[in-house]
Amino acid sequence: MSYPGYPGAPAGYGGGYGGAPGAPGYAGFPGQAQDPLYPYFSAVAGQDGQIDADELQRCLTQSNISGSYKPFNIETCRLMISMLDRDCSCKMGFNEFKELWAVLSAWKQHFMTMDKDRSGTVDPEEMRQSIASMGYNINPSALVVILKRYSTHGMIAFDDYVACCIKLRTLTDAFRRRDQSQRGVASFAYDDFIQCIMSI
């Protein structure tokens, strides 16, 4: 599945995230030495070659992907990991990190196109337009809930924008897998529902 702002496959990492930490020409594992993202990842990855939510927070702060060196909320970092955590380890390997970076970069570009006054936030109408342009058909009452949940003083910052995008993507994917007739109706057993909600 592919939405505007969420490409199905990485399409390059586009500059704009500053210089990577670590020495130029850093050699990691074969095939990774040439990847411009690897120094960010390796600078925080543990001995197991994985990063957890705290390490992801440090990595994204150092990369300046948010446009400020203010750290992402730790809960947003947990959401990012859970979105791609296929083995339920609560950690992320380098390939998952690359996928996350591509998605984050696309969301960042999308956010910037909506942030017309360059305030670093989007207002409720810009957020509504953003959600609609990503292909989500949200009714007005659900949209009000989303806006209340992710806004601070009526404005949505990039951190909260990312958290909202992750939840929309993850819950939509979970719903779509259970909507066998593709009519917008799905049945969930209670335990299945709790697992879907609590895993993000």
Side-chain angles (χ1 to χ4, degrees):
M1 166 173 55
S2 181
Y3 302 115
Y6 162 49
Y13 312 112
Y17 55 83
Y26 173 85
F29 297 109
Q32 294 174 338
Q34 301 303 315
D35 196 308
L37 291 178
Y38 191 71
Y40 286 117
F41 179 85
S42 64
V44 297
Q47 294 278 4
D48 59 357
Q50 304 273 313
I51 58 177
D52 61 21
D54 291 313
E55 292 163 338
L56 179 61
Q57 184 185 51
R58 279 202 316 274
C59 180
L60 294 177
T61 302
Q62 291 169 6
S63 75
N64 193 30
I65 192 171
S66 70
S68 73
Y69 286 100
K70 179 183 173 186
F72 273 92
N73 181 298
I74 192 67
E75 187 57 32
T76 304
C77 292
R78 290 186 186 113
L79 285 171
M80 289 187 234
I81 288 177
S82 71
M83 177 177 71
L84 299 169
D85 186 16
R86 295 175 184 96
D87 62 0
C88 299
S89 66
C90 297
K91 292 187 177 183
M92 180 177 282
F94 181 59
N95 287 334
E96 294 164 324
F97 177 75
K98 286 203 301 184
E99 187 178 344
L100 173 66
W101 189 273
V103 173
L104 267 179
S105 297
W107 280 336
K108 177 67 175 180
Q109 290 300 316
H110 203 236
F111 181 84
M112 290 171 65
T113 62
M114 294 296 155
D115 179 18
K116 295 179 175 59
D117 62 359
R118 297 293 179 256
S119 64
T121 60
V122 292
D123 64 30
E125 177 56 24
E126 290 168 334
M127 188 66 172
R128 185 196 66 73
Q129 292 172 11
S130 177
I131 289 171
S133 71
M134 284 190 277
Y136 296 106
N137 185 16
I138 307 289
N139 71 37
S141 58
L143 189 61
V144 167
V145 171
I146 291 170
L147 295 173
K148 284 182 178 177
R149 168 66 178 85
Y150 291 101
S151 66
T152 302
H153 306 299
M155 303 300 284
I156 298 103
F158 183 61
D159 190 322
D160 292 315
Y161 180 86
V162 168
C164 180
C165 288
I166 291 169
K167 285 201 177 181
L168 278 172
R169 173 190 163 173
T170 306
L171 290 172
T172 299
D173 287 350
F175 187 91
R176 194 169 279 165
R177 283 193 301 273
R178 291 158 180 84
D179 180 13
Q180 295 177 356
S181 63
Q182 300 299 297
R183 292 183 303 146
V185 178
S187 295
F188 286 75
Y190 178 70
D191 287 343
D192 185 28
F193 172 75
I194 292 297
Q195 187 173 332
C196 286
I197 298 301
M198 298 301 285
S199 66
I200 59 169

